[in-house]
Amino acid sequence: MRRRVLTASALTAILAPATLRAQNHGHAHSGNEVKIGRHEVELVVRGTQATLTIRDEKDQPVDTTGFGATATVLARGNERRSLEFRPAGANRLVAPVDFPVDGKFRATVALRGPAGELGTGRFAIDPAR
């Protein structure tokens, strides 16, 4: 019995890092990702800036030249506010956040590519301080 426990523990120790690398594809995910069209889009809100990071279906960074996005955000007091995201180099789009929110940052994002509308996604995240 002791041998089975050691064997199972050893197997777990060997396979766990490989499984983790396969799931993360070489980069860390925050849990704020949503599929929009064929793209995996991550939203991070830190201070007064919202950032969208875009990856393709093969989990590769997407050049955001020619991309844009609009977000409708639920601000403090259930007021609806809009954000306009612009390319910020690499695979990122950014927008200034100049209003307070209560609790989670709730946003519906409409993503546009060079050929037009790509789809929408909904986020409900905890803003980073």
Side-chain angles (χ1 to χ4, degrees):
M1 176 126 171
R2 182 176 166 99
R3 185 174 183 172
R4 279 191 204 153
V5 172
L6 289 176
T7 304
S9 296
L11 193 57
T12 300
I14 292 168
L15 294 179
T19 303
L20 186 59
R21 278 192 304 273
Q23 290 172 349
N24 286 337
H25 304 285
H27 71 281
H29 289 278
S30 67
N32 303 331
E33 299 91 10
V34 172
K35 187 124 175 109
I36 300 178
R38 297 182 340 223
H39 298 87
E40 196 68 34
V41 180
E42 176 183 32
L43 174 64
V44 174
V45 179
R46 183 166 278 125
T48 60
Q49 181 171 291
T51 303
L52 292 172
T53 305
I54 305 171
R55 301 183 78 76
D56 66 15
E57 63 274 2
K58 294 178 182 172
D59 208 29
Q60 298 300 309
V62 171
D63 178 9
T64 57
T65 303
F67 276 70
T70 304
T72 302
V73 179
L74 196 57
R76 183 170 287 159
N78 288 331
E79 180 183 349
R80 293 189 190 281
R81 302 289 296 264
S82 291
L83 297 179
E84 191 63 37
F85 288 86
R86 304 271 185 236
N91 62 328
R92 297 179 308 118
L93 301 172
V94 297
V97 179
D98 59 355
F99 52 86
V101 296
D102 291 326
K104 290 198 179 282
F105 191 90
R106 290 176 175 79
T108 301
V109 175
L111 183 64
R112 298 179 307 278
E117 191 75 27
L118 298 173
T120 61
R122 292 178 190 235
F123 296 87
I125 64 168
D126 291 316
R129 304 276 181 228

